[in-house]
Amino acid sequence: MDPYLKAYEEFTELEIAFDLDTLRLNEANPWELIRFFAYNELMKARGVFGEGQHRAHKGVLKKLKEHSVPFFGHDPITAPRDRVLVIGHQRRIKTDQGLYRDVYCEPYLEIMQKNNIPFNYMERPYSLPAHFTPTETKKVFYLDNILLGKHDSGSKENFVSLLKTKAAQFCKELGIPSGPLMAYIDNAGRHFSAGTDNIRRLLKKIVPKKIVMAIGYIRVNQLISLEAKKMGIEVIEIQHGIISKFHMGYSYEKWRKNPPAFPDKILLFGDDWAACAPFPIDNKELITLGAPRFQDKKKISQGIGARKNILFISQGSIGENIISAALELEKSVDEELHIGIKLHPAEVGRKSKIYDQLRQNGNIDIFDGNEDIYALYEQYGTAVGGYSTALLEAREFGLVAYCLDVPGVHYFDRFITNKKVSLISSIHHLAETIKKQGDSKNRNTGNIFSDFRPDKFLELL
C-alpha cells in the first residue's frame, strides 16, 4: 500500500480503537485539540513530510517583547460590543500602498463596512514576525495573550491525564517517538485551562452574534469555537486553502461523535469542495460562497505567458521534493525553458543542501516573500506543484497545471480524477509532455472557484 494511504488508515483506525473520538472534558474533546499535530508528527516520523508551513520560533526575550504589543491599544479585552467577531489570518500580503492585507478576510470586512454591520477584527499570534504592520485593517486586536496567564492546575492535569496514556499507546502502535506529542499535550493543557477562562471573559464582554474565522483547526480558534457554542454563538469558517479527506482539520471519516470544536458552517470556494472531505457537519452547512480574492485577480488579469514558461509552486512540507523536481527539469531538457519557482513564505531563509543548490542555480528564477502569485501567472503558461490550492488557481487562470507524484498527492485525488490537473509520474514524463503541448490560452471555468456571493454572506449574518 502507498505509505501515505497506509499512514492515514492506521491513524484513523487507531483513533476509534482507542475511543479518542468519544473523549470529553468540560464539553471539549482534548484529542481534537492535538489531532492535527499528532497526524503531522506521524507523517514526519514516516518520512512522508518534512517541516510544515510555519515559522521558526524566536528566543524567550524576543517573544516576551512581542507579547507586550497587545497591551498598547490592541488588547482584545478593550474591544467594543459588536455584532460580528472576525478571527483573521495573520499571514498577510503587502499591498502596493505598503499596507499588509489579510487576503482571506478583508473582502468580508469590506462587505460589513459597506453595509454598516459592526465588527471586531482579531488576529491570532504569529511567531516570525510577531505581526505584520502596518495593516490594511483599520483596527486590529491581537490574541497573543489569550492563551497565557494563570491556569487551573486541576483542569490542566485532567486534560493531560486524559490524553497521555492513550497518546503513549497510540505512538507505540504507530511506531513513532512519543516525546514531541507528550510535550505538545502539556502545552495544550495549559492553553486549554488558561485560554478557556480568558476566551469566556472576552466573549461575555463583546457578546458577538456571529464569529467568522479563517482556519478553524488552530488551537486558539478551536477554544474560541468551544466557548462560543456554549453561549449559543454561531461559528462560521472561511475556506482558506486545500481541503481533503487527508486533511485532519476537516476529515472525520470514522468518528462516532462529532468534534465539539468544529465550526457550525464552512464557506467554500466552490461546489467541488463539498465532496472533498468527510466533514463532521451536515451538507447544508457547507455553503458555496466563492473566492473573492481569486475572482478579483482574475478580472484584472492581462492573460498568461507562453506554455514553456514553467512555474513550480512550492510548499513547506514538500519543498525539497518540488525544488528537486525543478532542478532536475532544468538539467534534463535540451530545449530552452524559462523555469521559475515560487517558494512558500515559510521557506524563505530555510537552509538545506537542496535549497542551497536552488539559490546557486542561475537558470531558475526564485520568487519568495511578497511576490503576487497572480502576477506570476501572467508570466508563466505552465504550473507544476504538489497539492497547493495555488495550482488549482493557476489552472483556472488558464495555465496548464501538472501535479507531481509527491507525498500528499492524494489531497488532489478528486481533481486528478476529474481532470482538473494532470498527474506527472516523473520529470522525464513532464519534459516530454511540455514538448508536445500547444500554446493555446483558453481560460478554464468550473466549480473549483465559483463567483463570489456577498449577498449570501450578508444573509448568514
Side-chain angles (χ1 to χ4, degrees), residues 410-438:
H410 296 294
Y411 275 60
F412 264 24
D413 280 351
R414 178 175 176 79
F415 301 111
I416 292 168
T417 300
N418 293 345
K419 302 188 184 303
K420 305 290 186 183
V421 294
S422 300
L423 181 64
I424 292 294
S425 59
S426 68
I427 292 303
H428 175 73
H429 180 197
L430 176 60
E432 289 301 309
T433 304
I434 291 170
K435 284 181 184 179
K436 294 174 185 176
Q437 71 184 20

Side-chain angles (χ1 to χ4, degrees), residues 204-417:
K204 282 184 176 179
K205 180 183 182 295
I206 62 176
V207 200
K209 302 297 182 185
K210 306 277 184 176
I211 296 178
V212 178
M213 62 174 60
I215 315 185
Y217 54 87
I218 298 299
R219 188 185 304 152
V220 64
N221 290 357
Q222 289 176 313
L223 293 177
I224 289 171
S225 292
L226 283 167
E227 291 308 306
K229 289 186 176 187
K230 292 176 187 177
M231 297 172 63
I233 303 167
E234 186 175 59
V235 179
I236 302 170
E237 180 179 350
I238 299 167
Q239 182 179 358
H240 75 285
I242 195 70
I243 291 176
S244 161
K245 169 183 175 179
F246 304 101
H247 191 311
M248 290 300 126
Y250 302 101
S251 178
Y252 291 85
E253 185 177 20
K254 298 169 185 174
W255 278 43
R256 295 161 296 185
K257 283 193 173 184
N258 284 352
F262 199 85
D264 297 298
K265 288 181 170 64
I266 307 283
L267 308 184
L268 299 173
F269 291 150
D271 293 338
D272 275 355
W273 297 96
C276 284
F279 295 94
I281 54 177
D282 195 279
N283 280 344
K284 69 181 181 182
E285 310 300 349
L286 303 172
I287 301 166
T288 294
L289 205 72
R293 183 191 180 207
F294 170 82
Q295 183 171 311
D296 289 346
K297 292 290 186 177
K298 190 172 180 181
K299 280 179 182 176
I300 63 174
S301 170
Q302 300 300 306
I304 57 174
R307 292 297 189 208
K308 290 178 182 178
N309 292 351
I310 303 163
L311 180 67
F312 282 79
I313 300 170
S314 192
Q315 294 167 259
S317 57
I318 53 171
E320 295 203 352
N321 304 74
I322 304 294
I323 292 167
S324 296
L327 291 169
E328 187 180 342
L329 179 65
E330 191 270 324
K331 291 178 183 177
S332 67
V333 292
D334 296 327
E335 61 184 305
E336 186 176 342
L337 297 176
H338 178 201
I339 300 175
I341 185 161
K342 174 68 171 74
L343 298 179
H344 187 278
E347 294 179 272
V348 177
R350 188 174 285 183
K351 298 183 184 302
S352 78
K353 183 178 178 181
I354 290 294
Y355 285 89
D356 289 343
Q357 287 178 8
L358 174 65
R359 294 182 184 106
Q360 292 162 11
N361 188 308
N363 297 324
I364 298 178
D365 292 330
I366 304 172
F367 304 100
D368 53 25
N370 276 290
E371 285 90 357
D372 185 348
I373 195 166
Y374 298 100
L376 295 180
Y377 296 157
E378 298 186 8
Q379 302 173 35
Y380 292 84
T382 299
V384 182
Y387 54 90
S388 170
T389 314
L391 191 60
L392 297 174
E393 290 181 324
R395 186 261 184 198
E396 292 293 292
F397 258 71
L399 284 74
V400 176
Y402 295 113
C403 180
L404 294 169
D405 191 3
V406 293
V409 67
H410 296 294
Y411 275 60
F412 264 24
D413 280 351
R414 178 175 176 79
F415 301 111
I416 292 168
T417 300

Side-chain angles (χ1 to χ4, degrees), residues 28 64 131 177 277 312 345 401 455:
L64 286 173
H131 295 283
F312 282 79
D455 57 323

Side-chain angles (χ1 to χ4, degrees), residues 82-216:
D82 272 329
R83 180 168 156 190
V84 181
L85 171 59
V86 179
I87 311 296
H89 197 301
Q90 76 291 354
R91 193 180 67 231
R92 294 168 172 269
I93 300 295
K94 195 172 186 179
T95 67
D96 293 339
Q97 290 74 39
L99 302 174
Y100 286 94
R101 179 178 175 86
D102 177 348
V103 295
Y104 302 106
C105 294
E106 198 68 44
Y108 299 95
L109 304 185
E110 290 165 355
I111 291 169
M112 288 189 285
Q113 286 171 332
K114 185 178 179 181
N115 290 274
N116 298 314
I117 297 174
F119 65 88
N120 284 305
Y121 177 91
M122 299 187 183
E123 184 177 292
R124 72 181 183 86
Y126 201 23
S127 52
L128 181 64
H131 295 283
F132 289 108
T133 56
T135 60
E136 188 174 74
T137 313
K138 286 186 172 61
K139 183 65 175 178
V140 180
F141 296 99
Y142 295 131
L143 291 165
D144 293 54
N145 299 313
I146 204 77
L147 300 181
L148 302 178
K150 184 178 179 181
H151 66 265
D152 181 324
S153 59
S155 174
K156 187 220 173 209
E157 286 172 10
N158 288 338
F159 183 99
V160 170
S161 62
L162 195 60
L163 277 180
K164 274 201 168 178
T165 301
K166 287 180 178 287
Q169 296 173 327
F170 196 80
C171 290
K172 184 178 180 181
E173 286 286 335
L174 292 172
I176 64 174
S178 62
L181 190 54
M182 295 302 167
Y184 196 80
I185 289 170
D186 280 323
N187 191 43
R190 284 192 296 273
H191 288 173
F192 175 76
S193 179
T196 295
D197 288 341
N198 290 338
I199 290 166
R200 185 183 304 119
R201 192 177 305 115
L202 173 64
L203 294 181
K204 282 184 176 179
K205 180 183 182 295
I206 62 176
V207 200
K209 302 297 182 185
K210 306 277 184 176
I211 296 178
V212 178
M213 62 174 60
I215 315 185

